[in-house]
Every structure is written in structure tokens, then in C-alpha cells.
């Protein structure tokens, strides 16, 4: 039976959504996107229009542009934006999986709450957690924004393009420095 499935190929394509704020995308996000692209037939990186988080450093268009540029080499990865409930969006894109990264134990509580709530909201969508490489386990967009704000080094934390955009943003916000 398994041999037959392997011979004919899988009929069912598994589409996963990797949601987040991506303000901005970091090397940790890209590590997870690469891992997800190997596991799923299609991976949609979905930027949330998240009014709860207040104003973002980068607007949606800028985040879309950076993510598109940084993921162009992975052919089964696409970039999109969404608002409203994540599970509603996932179903609208025929996705059955929500992919989330867990870096450390501290992430677990929030991720557990979100995964269980999403399951309650729609049982057709399953959350799958993956671990980024250890070297990114302390990395977050918030910390990257903070380092950029104080002019610290960003090499290895974000792609060069993102570093340039961050420096421009900080410069534009503090033209006297
Ligand atoms: O990068 P983030 O900020 O950790 O991403 C959080 C995000 C965008 C995935 C989460 O806030 C979300 O799914 N928002 C959509 C609204 C929603 O569905 N809320 C109920 C899930 S508990």
C-alpha cells in the first residue's frame, strides 16, 4: 500500500501557513521558512495586519517586499498578508497547517494558547511547531529593532538588505544622529 502511494505520488498536497508580524524578517524566520518549504508542498508566509501590536516599524508593503526578496529562491514559498482570524484565512487558502517556530521554553505558553484556541476555532487546521537553528534561539524582530535603534551590529541576525532598510529607517526617524 505504501509502495503504491509512493509510486503514484501523493494525491493530497499539504499547504502550510507561516503567520507572523515579520517586522522585520530575521534570519531566524528565514531558517524556519527554509525548513518548512522542505516539509510542505506549499508554504504561505502570511504577514498579519495586526492592529493589536500598535504601529509597526515597517509598513506592510515594505515587509512584503523584503520577504519576497529573501524567499525568491524557494519556489513553493509565497508571501501574502491577512487580517481577521488566522484560521479563517488558512481555510480560505486551502491550508491545513499553521507553522510556528518555538525558540525557547518562554515561547511555549503563548504558542500553546494560540494553537489550542485556533484548534477550538477550526478543527480542520493543525498547528505544527518547528525549532529554528540553535544560533537563532535568542533572536527576535523586537531585539533586532532595538539593536538597530542604538546603532549596534546586525550581521548574522538579518539579511544585508534588511540591515540596510533598518539603518535607513533609524536614520529617517533620527535625522540629527
Ligand atoms: O509574529 P507574531 O506577532 O508572534 O504573530 C502573531 C500572529 C500574527 C500569528 C497572531 O497574532 C495571529 O494569528 N493573529 C491573527 C488573529 C487571530 O487569529 N487571533 C486568534 C488566534 S489565538
Amino acid at each position: 500500500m505504501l509502495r503504491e502511494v509512493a509510486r503514484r505520488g501523493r494525491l493530497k498536497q499539504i499547504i502550510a501557513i507561516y503567520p507572523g508580524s515579520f517586522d522585520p524578517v530575521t534570519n531566524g524566520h528565514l531558517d524556519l521558512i527554509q525548513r518548512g518549504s522542505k516539509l510542505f508542498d506549499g508554504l504561505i508566509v502570511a504577514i498579519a495586519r495586526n492592529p493589536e501590536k500598535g504601529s509597526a516599524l515597517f509598513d506592510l508593503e515594505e515587509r512584503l517586499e523584503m520577504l519576497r526578496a529573501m524567499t525568491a529562491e524557494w519556489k513553493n514559498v509565497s508571501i501574502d498578508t491577512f487580517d481577521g482570524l488566522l484560521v479563517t484565512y488558512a481555510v480560505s487558502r486551502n491550508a491545513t497547517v499553521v507553522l510556528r517556530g518555538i525558540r525557547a521554553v518562554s515561547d511555549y505558553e503563548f504558542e500553546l494558547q494560540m494553537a489550542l484556541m485556533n484548534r477550538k476555532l477550526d478543527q480542520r487546521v493543525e498547528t505544527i511547531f518547528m525549532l529554528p537553528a540553535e544560533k537563532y534561539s535568542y533572536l527576535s524582530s523586537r531585539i533586532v529593532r532595538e539593536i538597530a535603534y542604538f546603532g549596534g551590529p546586525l550581521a548574522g541576525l538579518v539579511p544585508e538588505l534588511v540591515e540596510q532598510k533598518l539603518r535607513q529607517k533609524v536614520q529617517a526617524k533620527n535625522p540629527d544622529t
Side-chain angles (χ1 to χ4, degrees):
M1 154 87 175
L2 280 178
R3 211 174 290 150
E4 178 59 13
V5 171
R7 191 181 65 77
R8 294 201 336 232
R10 257 187 308 122
L11 293 177
K12 195 175 166 198
Q13 300 273 300
I14 299 189
I15 312 285
I17 306 281
Y18 178 41
S21 309
F22 305 105
D23 186 33
V25 59
T26 68
N27 286 347
H29 294 130
L30 293 171
D31 178 87
L32 216 77
I33 293 170
Q34 182 171 27
R35 288 172 199 278
S37 75
K38 289 186 195 151
L39 203 60
F40 304 109
D41 299 296
L43 181 66
I44 302 169
V45 181
I47 310 170
R49 302 159 194 252
N50 210 341
E52 247 187 32
K53 282 212 158 179
S55 60
L57 179 61
F58 290 98
D59 65 35
L60 267 181
E61 266 313 309
E62 292 171 310
R63 285 180 274 163
L64 260 174
E65 193 188 305
M66 282 187 278
L67 268 163
R68 283 201 180 118
M70 300 331 309
T71 59
E73 67 184 284
W74 301 308
K75 299 301 169 212
N76 63 342
V77 174
S78 59
I79 316 297
D80 197 7
T81 63
F82 76 101
D83 50 21
L85 286 180
L86 174 60
V87 286
T88 309
Y89 169 73
V91 169
S92 77
R93 300 301 309 266
N94 295 319
T96 49
V97 170
V98 166
L99 173 65
R100 291 285 289 175
I102 290 201
R103 292 161 297 188
V105 178
S106 49
D107 282 340
Y108 181 73
E109 216 169 308
F110 173 64
E111 294 299 333
L112 176 77
Q113 185 184 28
M114 206 162 74
L116 291 177
M117 183 52 78
N118 282 335
R119 182 192 281 168
K120 187 174 163 55
L121 290 169
D122 197 317
Q123 301 217 348
R124 291 171 290 182
V125 181
E126 203 64 63
T127 299
I128 291 188
F129 296 115
M130 290 179 80
L131 309 179
E134 309 85 286
K135 62 182 171 183
Y136 301 130
S137 57
Y138 53 86
L139 184 54
S140 72
S141 297
R142 188 190 62 75
I143 282 184
V144 160
R145 290 195 302 269
E146 199 166 300
I147 294 172
Y149 181 80
F150 291 113
L154 290 166
L157 306 182
V158 292
E160 253 177 65
L161 169 81
V162 177
E163 175 168 359
Q164 281 168 19
K165 301 259 180 206
L166 272 163
R167 302 278 182 225
Q168 286 165 8
K169 270 278 171 216
V170 171
Q171 181 64 34
K173 287 204 164 190
N174 311 291
D176 302 333
T177 56

